[in-house]
Amino acid sequence: MDKIYIKQLLESEGDEVKLTEKKAAILVAAIEIFAEKGYAATSTSEIAKQAGVAEGTIFRHYASKKELLLAIVKPGIMKLAIPYFASQVVEDVFGQGNNSFEDILREFIYNRIDFAKKNVPMIRIILQEIAFHTEMQQALKSTFLSEVYPKVEELIVDLQQKGHIKSVPIDTTIRFIITTVLGFILHQYIFSTNATFNEEVEVEHVIDLIMDGIQKS
Amino acid sequence: MDKIYIKQLLESEGDEVKLTEKKAAILVAAIEIFAEKGYAATSTSEIAKQAGVAEGTIFRHYASKKELLLAIVKPGIMKLAIPYFASQVVEDVFGQGNNSFEDILREFIYNRIDFAKKNVPMIRIILQEIAFHTEMQQALKSTFLSEVYPKVEELIVDLQQKGHIKSVPIDTTIRFIITTVLGFILHQYIFSTNATFNEEVEVEHVIDLIMDGIQKS
DNA sequence: TAATAAAGTGAGTAATCACTCACATTGTTA
DNA sequence: TAACAATGTGAGTGATTACTCACTTTATTA
């Protein structure tokens, strides 16, 4: 984890973030330790020590330990919730393209796999801490409801009208797809021990199960 | 949450648990506060205060704060991982009965819904803390691998041989079923705000999606 | 009932916590 | 270069932490 990664992670759509060496070091150390031990069990002195910085320097940049957490985690939540965030592929996927849903699903899954691979500690922190911090819950909920849900809803209604997918309630359909993809990704890339597996084959299985279920027809 | 609930929760297969009033009060308070604020952010003095007990009394019964957590959470993990634990329905579900897989799945889902409804704080604690405590991870892993996995594997192999379900790898199939059911239950009963919904209808949708996927055939 | 064990108490303790602040260093602008 | 602002420092602070222990109360057994 280096300074450039941190910059990219914390920047959301255009607004440049200026980082001194020490500030970047604090963020790197905080992400690492928060992910490993959890926010509540991490002391600011430990972060300072690992960052090679005086404890006071942390509070020069962040008013409190919690603000440091939120500075790390809020951009992460946005990029977790919004696939293709600030990417030109958005239109391809959620737009009115003529790709099959299967292709859209495949692209979505690979995109989230890519994100997961590059952001294991960040995802760990979000998973571990979201239960305790309403700010995080609200950030996730509001970005999902404003940026993701409407587009997905549009797509699904469209597919239902065309007769491509079942008329199961939209929320149920979305929850089904998200939990299946999330379950796969968390299991393989976040919780995973080290088990080797054929990524492409496994992704096709996931797609097949979402599209057709387990039943042999 | 009362003393009887606590007793049932902490007893696993036959071994009686003896609880004084104060000890039960400690457990009740600890479950409540751990679920709400998380283990690390909960102080033993707070537990003692809410339980109406001197702080020393906690350490009379539990050698450390962590031992208190594990005393609560270990039986919970077993009962979470093992459906129908210490129940006579086991054979019905995982045995060689002639129920259709759909019926087995339905019974499994309702059983886990029932468990979830009765154990919201316990499930919250497990979800929130399992990332930080290897003892919990190992307890879940070992009970799942020894008590659940073999039976489910047997069932799925059997169904695959009979041609009822696809020959997707067993682990993939199991993960798909568990994440879908878990996603539904966590969303509706653990994270849920208050949204009313028709449970029976929703369960049938979940079963349908697992069996047949989203695609219209 | 007397003796012993178990359960309960709460003041006390050393360690650690997040955070402050007066001061030092470095960077920027006039 | 002089003046000022931004960044960095680390000893210090009061509050809180998990846990201890000498002691009291309650339950059990002889």
Side-chain angles (χ1 to χ4, degrees):
Chain A
M1 208 152 33
D2 62 348
K3 193 179 165 183
I4 293 159
Y5 165 79
I6 293 290
K7 278 197 75 172
Q8 288 176 345
L9 191 69
L10 301 193
E11 274 166 6
S12 30
E13 246 178 330
D15 57 301
E16 191 92 12
V17 172
K18 55 179 191 296
L19 288 178
T20 62
E21 289 297 325
K22 303 269 178 182
K23 192 172 178 180
I26 289 167
L27 290 164
V28 170
I31 290 173
E32 200 174 305
I33 308 177
F34 283 159
E36 192 189 311
K37 311 179 47 175
Y39 169 79
T42 300
S43 67
T44 49
S45 73
E46 195 180 357
I47 295 169
K49 196 178 165 189
Q50 183 153 146
V53 150
E55 207 174 339
T57 309
I58 293 175
F59 294 95
R60 170 78 47 208
H61 293 287
Y62 303 97
S64 65
K65 187 184 154 193
K66 180 143 189 176
E67 217 180 67
L68 171 60
L69 201 231
L70 294 178
I72 289 167
V73 116
K74 276 194 172 177
I77 285 176
M78 291 199 65
K79 295 186 180 177
L80 174 73
I82 308 179
Y84 304 89
F85 185 74
S87 145
Q88 62 274 57
V89 203
V90 180
E91 288 311 306
D92 250 40
V93 170
F94 291 125
Q96 306 295 37
N98 41 19
N99 290 332
S100 71
F101 182 63
E102 203 180 301
D103 291 336
I104 295 172
L105 189 57
R106 186 173 292 107
E107 208 166 339
F108 169 71
I109 292 173
Y110 277 114
N111 176 271
R112 292 297 84 190
I113 287 175
D114 186 58
F115 178 82
K117 282 178 175 172
K118 289 177 184 159
N119 296 278
V120 175
M122 171 64 84
I123 294 173
R124 280 230 158 86
I125 298 174
I126 293 171
L127 283 177
Q128 289 161 7
E129 300 304 330
I130 198 161
F132 307 123
H133 308 275
T134 46
E135 303 91 333
M136 289 176 64
Q137 292 160 22
Q138 280 162 358
L140 180 61
K141 193 175 175 181
S142 72
T143 61
F144 180 78
L145 287 182
S146 69
E147 307 293 326
V148 185
Y149 187 87
K151 290 176 181 172
V152 177
E153 186 187 23
E154 194 189 348
L155 175 66
I156 286 174
V157 168
D158 182 56
L159 288 164
Q160 285 180 348
Q161 281 169 353
K162 285 179 184 162
H164 293 170
I165 66 171
K166 290 175 188 166
S167 290
V168 171
I170 292 167
D171 287 9
T172 305
T173 305
I174 293 177
R175 193 193 61 225
F176 171 67
I177 295 169
I178 290 179
T179 59
T180 304
V181 174
L182 207 68
F184 163 61
I185 290 179
L186 292 181
H187 179 254
Q188 291 291 4
Y189 302 95
I190 310 296
F191 306 146
S192 91
T193 48
N194 45 15
T196 60
F197 75 110
N198 187 321
E199 185 175 286
E200 203 194 312
V201 169
E202 195 62 33
V203 169
E204 293 309 314
H205 280 142
V206 170
I207 293 170
D208 178 48
L209 288 168
I210 291 175
M211 301 300 291
D212 279 318
I214 61 170
Q215 201 165 211
K216 208 161 184 174
S217 51
Chain B
M1 206 153 31
D2 62 347
K3 193 178 162 180
I4 292 160
Y5 166 78
I6 293 290
K7 277 197 73 170
Q8 288 177 345
L9 190 70
L10 300 194
E11 275 165 6
S12 31
E13 246 179 331
D15 57 301
E16 191 92 13
V17 173
K18 57 178 191 297
L19 287 180
T20 63
E21 289 298 324
K22 303 270 178 181
K23 191 172 178 180
I26 290 167
L27 289 165
V28 169
I31 290 173
E32 201 174 304
I33 308 177
F34 283 161
E36 194 189 310
K37 311 179 45 175
Y39 169 78
T42 300
S43 67
T44 50
S45 73
E46 194 179 358
I47 295 169
K49 196 178 166 189
Q50 182 152 146
V53 150
E55 207 175 338
T57 309
I58 293 175
F59 294 95
R60 170 79 44 206
H61 293 288
Y62 303 97
S64 66
K65 186 184 153 194
K66 178 141 189 178
E67 217 180 67
L68 170 60
L69 201 232
L70 294 178
I72 289 167
V73 115
K74 276 194 172 177
I77 285 176
M78 290 200 66
K79 295 185 180 178
L80 174 74
I82 308 179
Y84 304 88
F85 185 74
S87 145
Q88 62 276 56
V89 203
V90 180
E91 288 312 306
D92 251 39
V93 171
F94 291 124
Q96 306 296 38
N98 41 18
N99 289 331
S100 71
F101 182 63
E102 202 180 301
D103 291 338
I104 295 172
L105 189 56
R106 187 173 291 106
E107 209 166 337
F108 169 70
I109 293 173
Y110 276 113
N111 177 271
R112 292 297 85 190
I113 287 175
D114 185 59
F115 178 81
K117 282 177 174 173
K118 290 176 183 161
N119 295 280
V120 175
M122 170 65 84
I123 293 172
R124 280 228 160 87
I125 297 174
I126 293 171
L127 283 177
Q128 288 161 7
E129 300 303 330
I130 197 161
F132 307 123
H133 308 276
T134 45
E135 303 91 333
M136 289 176 65
Q137 293 160 22
Q138 280 162 357
L140 180 61
K141 192 174 176 181
S142 70
T143 61
F144 180 79
L145 286 182
S146 69
E147 307 292 326
V148 184
Y149 186 87
K151 290 176 181 173
V152 177
E153 186 187 23
E154 194 189 348
L155 174 67
I156 287 174
V157 168
D158 182 56
L159 288 164
Q160 285 181 347
Q161 282 169 352
K162 284 178 183 163
H164 293 169
I165 66 170
K166 290 174 187 165
S167 290
V168 171
I170 292 167
D171 287 9
T172 305
T173 306
I174 294 176
R175 192 193 61 224
F176 171 67
I177 295 169
I178 290 179
T179 58
T180 304
V181 174
L182 208 68
F184 163 61
I185 291 179
L186 292 182
H187 180 254
Q188 290 291 4
Y189 302 94
I190 309 296
F191 307 146
S192 91
T193 48
N194 45 14
T196 60
F197 75 109
N198 187 320
E199 184 175 288
E200 203 194 312
V201 169
E202 196 61 35
V203 168
E204 293 309 314
H205 280 142
V206 171
I207 293 170
D208 179 47
L209 288 168
I210 291 174
M211 300 300 291
D212 279 317
I214 60 170
Q215 200 164 210
K216 206 162 184 175
S217 53

